Amino acid sequence: MATSSLFMHTLLTRRRDPSRHTYAVKSLYFFMPATLALTTSLIILLYISSTSNLFFIHPHQLHISSSGNGGVLIRDKPTKFFTFYSPESVGYSEIPRFSERGIVLGETKGRSDAGFDKRSLGMYNSETKIFHDKDALLENYKEMNRSLKIFVYPHKQNDPFANVLLPVDFEPNGNYDSESYFKKILVNSHFSTKDPSKADLFFLPFSIARLRHDPRVGISGLQDFVKDYIANISHEYPYWNRSGGADHFYVACHSIERSAMEKAVEVKLKAIHIVCSSSYYLSSYVAHKDASLPQIWPRQDNPPNLERARFKLAFFAGSINSPVRATLLQEWENDAEISVHFGRLETPYSEELLRSKFCLHVKGFEVNTARIGDALYYGCVPVIIANHYDLPFEDILNWKSFSITVATLDIPLLKKILHGVSLEKYLILQNNVLKARIHFQWHLSPVDYDAFYIVMYELWLRRSSLRITV
Protein backbone atom coordinates (compact mmCIF):
# COMPACT_ATOMS: atom_id res chain seq x y z
CA MET A 1 0.00 0.00 0.00
CA ALA A 2 2.84 2.35 0.86
CA THR A 3 4.51 1.49 -2.39
CA SER A 4 1.34 2.31 -4.36
CA SER A 5 0.98 5.67 -2.60
CA LEU A 6 4.60 6.51 -3.32
CA PHE A 7 4.11 5.67 -7.02
CA MET A 8 1.00 7.90 -7.32
CA HIS A 9 2.80 10.74 -5.57
CA THR A 10 5.73 10.52 -7.94
CA LEU A 11 3.47 10.45 -10.99
CA LEU A 12 1.45 13.46 -9.90
CA THR A 13 4.57 15.37 -8.98
CA ARG A 14 6.03 14.82 -12.46
CA ARG A 15 2.86 16.02 -14.12
CA ARG A 16 2.93 19.24 -12.07
CA ASP A 17 6.64 19.88 -12.64
CA PRO A 18 6.85 22.82 -15.08
CA SER A 19 10.51 22.15 -15.86
CA ARG A 20 9.64 18.70 -17.12
CA HIS A 21 6.86 20.18 -19.28
CA THR A 22 9.31 22.68 -20.76
CA TYR A 23 11.75 19.84 -21.51
CA ALA A 24 9.03 17.91 -23.35
CA VAL A 25 8.12 20.92 -25.50
CA LYS A 26 11.77 21.54 -26.35
CA SER A 27 12.17 17.91 -27.29
CA LEU A 28 9.17 18.18 -29.59
CA TYR A 29 10.65 21.23 -31.37
CA PHE A 30 13.99 19.45 -31.65
CA PHE A 31 12.58 16.35 -33.38
CA MET A 32 10.09 18.15 -35.68
CA PRO A 33 12.68 19.38 -38.25
CA ALA A 34 14.31 15.95 -38.34
CA THR A 35 10.92 14.32 -38.94
CA LEU A 36 10.05 16.78 -41.72
CA ALA A 37 13.45 16.26 -43.36
CA LEU A 38 13.00 12.50 -43.28
CA THR A 39 9.51 12.79 -44.80
CA THR A 40 10.75 15.10 -47.57
CA SER A 41 13.61 12.72 -48.37
CA LEU A 42 11.18 9.82 -48.69
CA ILE A 43 8.94 11.83 -51.07
CA ILE A 44 11.96 12.77 -53.25
CA LEU A 45 13.10 9.14 -53.31
CA LEU A 46 9.66 7.99 -54.42
CA TYR A 47 9.62 10.63 -57.18
CA ILE A 48 13.05 9.58 -58.49
CA SER A 49 12.05 5.92 -58.48
CA SER A 50 8.91 6.74 -60.50
CA THR A 51 10.71 8.79 -63.18
CA SER A 52 13.98 6.88 -63.40
CA ASN A 53 14.88 3.28 -64.15
CA LEU A 54 17.26 3.26 -61.21
CA PHE A 55 15.19 0.78 -59.20
CA PHE A 56 13.68 -1.12 -62.08
CA ILE A 57 15.00 -4.58 -62.87
CA HIS A 58 14.91 -5.67 -66.50
CA PRO A 59 14.89 -9.46 -66.74
CA HIS A 60 14.98 -9.89 -70.53
CA GLN A 61 18.50 -10.61 -71.82
CA LEU A 62 18.03 -11.78 -75.41
CA HIS A 63 19.86 -10.09 -78.28
CA ILE A 64 17.40 -9.01 -80.96
CA SER A 65 18.36 -8.45 -84.60
CA SER A 66 16.10 -7.33 -87.43
CA SER A 67 15.97 -9.42 -90.58
CA GLY A 68 13.79 -7.93 -93.27
CA ASN A 69 10.10 -7.11 -93.43
CA GLY A 70 9.95 -6.61 -89.69
CA GLY A 71 11.31 -10.09 -88.89
CA VAL A 72 14.08 -10.52 -86.34
CA LEU A 73 16.96 -12.80 -85.44
CA ILE A 74 17.11 -13.74 -81.75
CA ARG A 75 20.50 -14.62 -80.27
CA ASP A 76 20.82 -16.17 -76.86
CA LYS A 77 23.89 -14.65 -75.17
CA PRO A 78 25.45 -17.84 -73.70
CA THR A 79 25.02 -20.06 -76.79
CA LYS A 80 25.00 -17.42 -79.57
CA PHE A 81 22.21 -19.43 -81.19
CA PHE A 82 20.23 -17.65 -83.91
CA THR A 83 16.50 -18.13 -84.50
CA PHE A 84 14.36 -16.29 -87.06
CA TYR A 85 10.98 -14.88 -86.03
CA SER A 86 8.61 -13.42 -88.59
CA PRO A 87 6.03 -10.83 -87.56
CA GLU A 88 3.30 -13.42 -88.13
CA SER A 89 4.91 -15.82 -85.67
CA VAL A 90 4.25 -13.41 -82.82
CA GLY A 91 0.85 -12.26 -84.00
CA TYR A 92 1.45 -9.39 -86.42
CA SER A 93 -0.28 -9.33 -89.75
CA GLU A 94 0.53 -5.88 -91.15
CA ILE A 95 3.92 -5.07 -92.69
CA PRO A 96 4.51 -1.53 -93.97
CA ARG A 97 4.74 -1.35 -97.76
CA PHE A 98 6.44 1.49 -99.59
CA SER A 99 5.22 3.05 -102.81
CA GLU A 100 6.04 6.17 -104.76
CA ARG A 101 3.26 7.91 -102.83
CA GLY A 102 4.89 7.07 -99.51
CA ILE A 103 3.95 4.63 -96.82
CA VAL A 104 0.45 3.38 -96.11
CA LEU A 105 -1.10 5.05 -93.07
CA GLY A 106 -1.90 1.96 -91.05
CA GLU A 107 -1.34 0.73 -87.54
CA THR A 108 0.08 -2.57 -86.33
CA LYS A 109 -2.78 -5.03 -86.01
CA GLY A 110 -3.06 -8.31 -84.18
CA ARG A 111 -4.27 -11.49 -85.86
CA SER A 112 -7.92 -11.91 -85.03
CA ASP A 113 -7.80 -15.66 -85.75
CA ALA A 114 -5.28 -16.13 -82.96
CA GLY A 115 -7.15 -13.96 -80.51
CA PHE A 116 -4.07 -11.76 -80.27
CA ASP A 117 -4.07 -9.12 -77.55
CA LYS A 118 -1.33 -6.48 -77.59
CA ARG A 119 -1.86 -5.87 -73.87
CA SER A 120 -0.24 -9.25 -73.26
CA LEU A 121 2.98 -7.80 -74.70
CA GLY A 122 3.28 -5.23 -71.96
CA MET A 123 2.47 -2.36 -74.34
CA TYR A 124 -0.98 -0.86 -74.27
CA ASN A 125 -2.77 -0.08 -77.53
CA SER A 126 -2.08 3.62 -77.10
CA GLU A 127 1.65 2.84 -77.19
CA THR A 128 1.56 0.83 -80.43
CA LYS A 129 -0.06 3.42 -82.72
CA ILE A 130 2.23 5.91 -84.43
CA PHE A 131 -0.41 8.67 -84.39
CA HIS A 132 -2.12 10.13 -81.35
CA ASP A 133 -5.40 10.37 -83.28
CA LYS A 134 -5.29 8.86 -86.76
CA ASP A 135 -8.93 9.63 -87.54
CA ALA A 136 -8.52 13.31 -86.69
CA LEU A 137 -5.33 13.45 -88.73
CA LEU A 138 -6.95 11.97 -91.83
CA GLU A 139 -9.99 14.22 -91.58
CA ASN A 140 -8.03 17.44 -90.94
CA TYR A 141 -5.40 16.53 -93.52
CA LYS A 142 -8.00 16.54 -96.29
CA GLU A 143 -9.36 19.90 -95.16
CA MET A 144 -5.84 21.32 -94.83
CA ASN A 145 -4.95 20.16 -98.34
CA ARG A 146 -8.12 21.74 -99.70
CA SER A 147 -8.25 25.10 -97.95
CA LEU A 148 -5.00 26.15 -96.25
CA LYS A 149 -3.49 29.23 -97.91
CA ILE A 150 -0.22 30.97 -97.10
CA PHE A 151 0.96 34.37 -98.29
CA VAL A 152 4.73 34.54 -98.80
CA TYR A 153 6.06 38.09 -98.58
CA PRO A 154 7.24 38.82 -102.15
CA HIS A 155 10.77 39.83 -103.12
CA LYS A 156 12.38 40.38 -106.50
CA GLN A 157 15.49 38.85 -107.97
CA ASN A 158 17.29 42.21 -107.80
CA ASP A 159 16.63 42.55 -104.06
CA PRO A 160 19.98 43.08 -102.30
CA PHE A 161 19.18 40.11 -100.04
CA ALA A 162 17.53 37.89 -102.64
CA ASN A 163 19.99 35.12 -101.65
CA VAL A 164 18.41 34.85 -98.19
CA LEU A 165 14.80 35.78 -99.03
CA LEU A 166 14.09 33.82 -102.22
CA PRO A 167 14.16 30.03 -102.62
CA VAL A 168 17.52 28.58 -103.66
CA ASP A 169 17.84 27.67 -107.34
CA PHE A 170 19.47 24.32 -106.56
CA GLU A 171 18.58 21.19 -104.60
CA PRO A 172 19.35 21.72 -100.89
CA ASN A 173 21.98 19.33 -99.54
CA GLY A 174 23.20 20.54 -96.16
CA ASN A 175 22.69 19.65 -92.52
CA TYR A 176 20.48 22.71 -91.88
CA ASP A 177 18.64 22.73 -95.20
CA SER A 178 15.25 21.66 -93.91
CA GLU A 179 14.32 25.35 -94.04
CA SER A 180 15.54 25.61 -97.65
CA TYR A 181 13.51 22.56 -98.66
CA PHE A 182 10.39 23.95 -97.01
CA LYS A 183 10.61 27.35 -98.73
CA LYS A 184 11.48 25.90 -102.12
CA ILE A 185 8.51 23.52 -102.01
CA LEU A 186 6.04 26.00 -100.47
CA VAL A 187 6.34 28.73 -103.10
CA ASN A 188 5.56 26.22 -105.86
CA SER A 189 2.75 24.45 -104.00
CA HIS A 190 -1.02 24.91 -104.07
CA PHE A 191 -0.81 26.27 -100.50
CA SER A 192 0.85 29.48 -101.70
CA THR A 193 -1.43 32.39 -102.59
CA LYS A 194 -0.69 35.81 -104.04
CA ASP A 195 -3.95 37.16 -102.57
CA PRO A 196 -3.32 38.13 -98.92
CA SER A 197 -7.07 38.39 -98.25
CA LYS A 198 -7.32 34.62 -98.71
CA ALA A 199 -4.33 33.78 -96.52
CA ASP A 200 -4.61 31.92 -93.24
CA LEU A 201 -0.95 32.52 -92.44
CA PHE A 202 1.90 34.78 -93.57
CA PHE A 203 5.40 33.42 -94.16
CA LEU A 204 8.52 35.42 -93.24
CA PRO A 205 10.91 34.01 -95.86
CA PHE A 206 14.32 34.98 -94.44
CA SER A 207 16.79 32.11 -94.03
CA ILE A 208 18.69 32.10 -90.74
CA ALA A 209 21.09 29.45 -92.04
CA ARG A 210 22.02 31.56 -95.08
CA LEU A 211 22.08 34.88 -93.18
CA ARG A 212 24.72 33.62 -90.76
CA HIS A 213 27.05 32.93 -93.72
CA ASP A 214 26.34 36.22 -95.51
CA PRO A 215 29.38 38.49 -94.92
CA ARG A 216 27.09 41.55 -94.82
CA VAL A 217 25.16 40.09 -91.86
CA GLY A 218 26.85 37.19 -90.11
CA ILE A 219 25.98 35.98 -86.64
CA SER A 220 26.55 39.40 -85.07
CA GLY A 221 24.14 41.13 -87.47
CA LEU A 222 21.23 38.67 -87.31
CA GLN A 223 19.28 40.56 -84.67
CA ASP A 224 19.42 43.86 -86.53
CA PHE A 225 18.46 42.20 -89.82
CA VAL A 226 15.31 40.60 -88.34
CA LYS A 227 14.38 43.84 -86.56
CA ASP A 228 14.74 45.87 -89.77
CA TYR A 229 12.87 43.27 -91.83
CA ILE A 230 9.83 43.35 -89.51
CA ALA A 231 9.90 47.16 -89.51
CA ASN A 232 9.88 47.18 -93.33
CA ILE A 233 7.00 44.74 -93.86
CA SER A 234 4.91 46.37 -91.12
CA HIS A 235 5.39 49.70 -92.91
CA GLU A 236 4.68 48.40 -96.44
CA TYR A 237 1.90 45.91 -95.61
CA PRO A 238 -0.99 46.00 -93.10
CA TYR A 239 -0.96 42.29 -92.26
CA TRP A 240 1.63 42.26 -89.50
CA ASN A 241 0.05 45.17 -87.61
CA ARG A 242 -3.50 43.81 -87.59
CA SER A 243 -2.50 40.71 -85.61
CA GLY A 244 0.75 41.82 -84.02
CA GLY A 245 2.43 38.97 -85.91
CA ALA A 246 0.30 36.19 -84.40
CA ASP A 247 -0.64 34.82 -87.85
CA HIS A 248 2.96 35.00 -89.13
CA PHE A 249 5.61 32.29 -89.02
CA TYR A 250 9.19 31.55 -90.00
CA VAL A 251 11.16 28.31 -90.45
CA ALA A 252 14.70 27.88 -89.13
CA CYS A 253 16.88 24.87 -88.44
CA HIS A 254 20.15 26.27 -87.09
CA SER A 255 20.13 26.88 -83.34
CA ILE A 256 21.40 30.46 -83.79
CA GLU A 257 17.78 31.45 -84.53
CA ARG A 258 16.97 31.50 -80.82
CA SER A 259 19.09 34.66 -80.36
CA ALA A 260 18.19 36.19 -83.73
CA MET A 261 14.86 37.48 -82.37
CA GLU A 262 16.22 39.33 -79.34
CA LYS A 263 15.68 42.76 -80.94
CA ALA A 264 12.29 41.81 -82.42
CA VAL A 265 10.32 40.97 -79.29
CA GLU A 266 7.02 40.80 -81.18
CA VAL A 267 8.41 37.98 -83.33
CA LYS A 268 9.76 36.17 -80.31
CA LEU A 269 6.51 36.35 -78.34
CA LYS A 270 3.78 36.17 -80.99
CA ALA A 271 4.94 34.68 -84.30
CA ILE A 272 4.94 30.92 -84.86
CA HIS A 273 8.43 29.43 -84.78
CA ILE A 274 8.97 26.25 -86.81
CA VAL A 275 12.46 25.38 -85.59
CA CYS A 276 14.88 22.50 -85.10
CA SER A 277 16.23 23.79 -81.77
CA SER A 278 13.35 23.13 -79.39
CA SER A 279 13.75 22.85 -75.65
CA TYR A 280 11.66 23.95 -72.72
CA TYR A 281 14.77 25.64 -71.33
CA LEU A 282 14.88 28.09 -74.24
CA SER A 283 12.90 31.25 -73.59
CA SER A 284 12.35 31.74 -77.32
CA TYR A 285 10.51 28.43 -77.73
CA VAL A 286 6.91 28.14 -76.55
CA ALA A 287 5.40 24.69 -76.82
CA HIS A 288 2.00 24.55 -78.58
CA LYS A 289 2.59 27.97 -80.17
CA ASP A 290 5.78 26.86 -81.87
CA ALA A 291 6.65 23.50 -83.43
CA SER A 292 9.72 21.33 -83.71
CA LEU A 293 11.08 20.69 -87.19
CA PRO A 294 13.22 17.57 -87.75
CA GLN A 295 16.80 18.23 -88.78
CA ILE A 296 17.33 15.88 -91.71
CA TRP A 297 20.16 15.14 -94.09
CA PRO A 298 18.55 15.24 -97.56
CA ARG A 299 18.27 11.78 -99.13
CA GLN A 300 16.44 11.37 -102.42
CA ASP A 301 17.22 7.70 -103.01
CA ASN A 302 15.03 4.87 -101.80
CA PRO A 303 15.47 3.65 -98.20
CA PRO A 304 18.28 1.09 -97.88
CA ASN A 305 17.74 -2.65 -97.85
CA LEU A 306 17.10 -3.58 -94.22
CA GLU A 307 17.09 -7.36 -94.66
CA ARG A 308 20.09 -8.00 -92.47
CA ALA A 309 20.90 -8.97 -88.91
CA ARG A 310 21.67 -6.27 -86.35
CA PHE A 311 24.44 -7.45 -84.03
CA LYS A 312 25.18 -4.28 -82.08
CA LEU A 313 22.95 -3.28 -79.18
CA ALA A 314 23.40 0.51 -79.58
CA PHE A 315 25.49 3.06 -81.48
CA PHE A 316 26.51 6.71 -81.17
CA ALA A 317 29.08 8.84 -83.00
CA GLY A 318 29.73 12.54 -82.42
CA SER A 319 31.91 15.12 -80.71
CA ILE A 320 32.18 15.64 -76.96
CA ASN A 321 30.46 19.01 -76.71
CA SER A 322 28.22 18.61 -73.67
CA PRO A 323 28.30 17.11 -70.17
CA VAL A 324 25.71 14.55 -71.29
CA ARG A 325 27.96 13.23 -74.04
CA ALA A 326 30.95 13.26 -71.69
CA THR A 327 28.98 11.04 -69.29
CA LEU A 328 28.05 8.69 -72.13
CA LEU A 329 31.72 8.37 -73.11
CA GLN A 330 32.80 7.78 -69.52
CA GLU A 331 30.28 5.00 -68.98
CA TRP A 332 30.32 3.15 -72.32
CA GLU A 333 33.47 4.00 -74.30
CA ASN A 334 34.97 0.51 -74.12
CA ASP A 335 31.79 -1.55 -74.00
CA ALA A 336 31.40 -4.55 -76.34
CA GLU A 337 27.66 -4.05 -76.97
CA ILE A 338 27.24 -0.27 -76.93
CA SER A 339 29.45 1.46 -79.53
CA VAL A 340 30.31 5.03 -78.57
CA HIS A 341 32.64 6.88 -80.95
CA PHE A 342 34.11 10.38 -80.59
CA GLY A 343 36.59 10.19 -83.42
CA ARG A 344 37.00 8.88 -86.94
CA LEU A 345 34.92 5.77 -87.64
CA GLU A 346 36.62 2.70 -89.07
CA THR A 347 33.43 1.67 -90.85
CA PRO A 348 30.96 3.88 -92.79
CA TYR A 349 28.43 5.73 -90.65
CA SER A 350 25.53 4.16 -92.55
CA GLU A 351 26.94 0.68 -91.90
CA GLU A 352 27.03 1.32 -88.14
CA LEU A 353 23.38 2.42 -88.23
CA LEU A 354 22.34 -0.62 -90.25
CA ARG A 355 23.93 -3.13 -87.90
CA SER A 356 22.66 -1.55 -84.66
CA LYS A 357 19.34 -2.25 -82.99
CA PHE A 358 19.21 1.08 -81.15
CA CYS A 359 20.71 4.43 -82.24
CA LEU A 360 21.41 7.07 -79.61
CA HIS A 361 20.36 10.72 -79.90
CA VAL A 362 22.41 12.53 -77.25
CA LYS A 363 22.20 16.25 -76.45
CA GLY A 364 25.24 18.21 -77.61
CA PHE A 365 25.55 22.01 -77.75
CA GLU A 366 21.83 21.89 -78.58
CA VAL A 367 19.23 19.16 -78.51
CA ASN A 368 18.77 19.24 -82.28
CA THR A 369 20.80 16.88 -84.50
CA ALA A 370 20.10 14.87 -87.63
CA ARG A 371 20.61 11.59 -85.75
CA ILE A 372 16.91 10.88 -85.25
CA GLY A 373 16.29 11.20 -88.99
CA ASP A 374 19.37 9.05 -89.66
CA ALA A 375 18.15 6.33 -87.28
CA LEU A 376 14.68 6.20 -88.81
CA TYR A 377 16.02 6.14 -92.37
CA TYR A 378 18.23 3.14 -91.61
CA GLY A 379 15.59 1.26 -89.63
CA CYS A 380 17.24 1.74 -86.24
CA VAL A 381 15.11 2.41 -83.14
CA PRO A 382 15.98 5.90 -81.80
CA VAL A 383 16.93 6.30 -78.14
CA ILE A 384 16.57 9.94 -77.07
CA ILE A 385 18.85 10.91 -74.19
CA ALA A 386 17.83 14.49 -73.38
CA ASN A 387 15.58 16.06 -70.77
CA HIS A 388 12.68 18.40 -71.61
CA TYR A 389 12.98 18.06 -75.37
CA ASP A 390 9.97 18.80 -77.58
CA LEU A 391 10.36 16.08 -80.22
CA PRO A 392 9.58 16.83 -83.88
CA PHE A 393 5.86 16.54 -84.74
CA GLU A 394 5.21 15.51 -81.14
CA ASP A 395 1.56 16.61 -81.15
CA ILE A 396 0.93 14.39 -84.20
CA LEU A 397 3.23 11.39 -83.79
CA ASN A 398 3.19 9.05 -80.80
CA TRP A 399 6.93 8.79 -80.16
CA LYS A 400 6.48 6.04 -77.58
CA SER A 401 5.45 3.74 -80.42
CA PHE A 402 8.78 3.91 -82.29
CA SER A 403 11.42 5.27 -79.90
CA ILE A 404 12.69 5.10 -76.33
CA THR A 405 13.42 8.06 -74.07
CA VAL A 406 16.10 7.72 -71.40
CA ALA A 407 16.69 10.34 -68.71
CA THR A 408 20.24 11.69 -68.58
CA LEU A 409 20.37 10.47 -64.99
CA ASP A 410 19.99 6.91 -66.29
CA ILE A 411 22.97 6.83 -68.68
CA PRO A 412 24.80 4.36 -66.35
CA LEU A 413 21.77 2.06 -66.68
CA LEU A 414 21.54 2.30 -70.47
CA LYS A 415 22.48 -1.30 -71.18
CA LYS A 416 20.06 -2.63 -68.56
CA ILE A 417 17.26 -0.50 -70.01
CA LEU A 418 17.87 -1.65 -73.60
CA HIS A 419 18.24 -5.30 -72.64
CA GLY A 420 14.96 -4.88 -70.77
CA VAL A 421 13.10 -4.26 -74.03
CA SER A 422 11.24 -7.50 -74.73
CA LEU A 423 11.19 -9.17 -78.12
CA GLU A 424 7.54 -8.24 -78.60
CA LYS A 425 8.09 -4.59 -77.76
CA TYR A 426 11.13 -4.38 -80.02
CA LEU A 427 9.12 -5.80 -82.92
CA ILE A 428 6.51 -3.10 -82.42
CA LEU A 429 9.11 -0.34 -82.14
CA GLN A 430 11.03 -1.32 -85.26
CA ASN A 431 7.92 -1.99 -87.31
CA ASN A 432 6.70 1.49 -86.41
CA VAL A 433 10.10 2.98 -87.26
CA LEU A 434 9.53 1.80 -90.83
CA LYS A 435 6.11 3.44 -90.81
CA ALA A 436 7.26 6.71 -89.25
CA ARG A 437 10.23 7.46 -91.46
CA ILE A 438 8.19 8.78 -94.40
CA HIS A 439 7.38 11.75 -92.14
CA PHE A 440 11.11 12.51 -91.89
CA GLN A 441 11.93 12.71 -95.59
CA TRP A 442 11.98 15.69 -97.98
CA HIS A 443 10.96 15.46 -101.63
CA LEU A 444 11.18 18.30 -104.15
CA SER A 445 7.85 17.01 -105.41
CA PRO A 446 6.21 16.48 -102.03
CA VAL A 447 4.69 13.12 -101.12
CA ASP A 448 1.62 12.86 -98.92
CA TYR A 449 2.55 12.81 -95.22
CA ASP A 450 6.25 13.50 -95.85
CA ALA A 451 8.18 16.15 -93.87
CA PHE A 452 6.77 19.05 -95.90
CA TYR A 453 3.15 18.00 -95.49
CA ILE A 454 3.53 17.31 -91.78
CA VAL A 455 5.04 20.79 -91.28
CA MET A 456 2.03 22.17 -93.14
CA TYR A 457 -0.24 20.16 -90.86
CA GLU A 458 1.54 21.63 -87.81
CA LEU A 459 0.79 25.08 -89.22
CA TRP A 460 -2.81 24.07 -89.84
CA LEU A 461 -3.15 23.17 -86.17
CA ARG A 462 -1.72 26.54 -85.16
CA ARG A 463 -3.53 28.80 -87.58
CA SER A 464 -5.84 31.42 -86.11
CA SER A 465 -9.52 30.51 -86.15
CA LEU A 466 -10.39 34.21 -86.46
CA ARG A 467 -10.14 35.68 -89.97
CA ILE A 468 -9.28 39.35 -89.87
CA THR A 469 -10.29 41.40 -92.91
CA VAL A 470 -8.87 44.72 -93.93
Side-chain angles (χ1 to χ4, degrees), residues 218-239:
I219 295 176
S220 61
L222 276 172
Q223 296 180 4
D224 288 323
F225 181 93
V226 173
K227 178 184 177 182
D228 292 342
Y229 185 82
I230 298 302
N232 288 336
I233 65 168
S234 62
H235 177 72
E236 295 181 25
Y237 302 92
Y239 316 117

Side-chain angles (χ1 to χ4, degrees), residues 162-209:
N163 60 315
V164 298
L165 296 171
L166 296 178
V168 295
D169 57 2
F170 54 85
E171 183 174 343
N173 58 5
N175 192 22
Y176 304 107
D177 274 347
S178 288
E179 61 184 68
S180 295
Y181 260 105
F182 176 83
K183 182 162 58 175
K184 190 175 183 67
I185 298 170
L186 173 62
V187 296
N188 295 314
S189 73
H190 65 280
F191 296 109
S192 179
T193 179
K194 296 184 183 300
D195 185 353
S197 66
K198 296 181 179 179
D200 299 286
L201 294 167
F202 296 79
F203 178 45
L204 305 170
F206 50 75
S207 169
I208 296 294

Side-chain angles (χ1 to χ4, degrees), residues 107-123:
E107 309 297 348
T108 303
K109 298 178 181 178
R111 293 196 324 205
S112 58
D113 58 337
F116 180 73
D117 182 6
K118 288 192 285 293
R119 289 179 179 270
S120 65
L121 302 181
M123 290 186 73

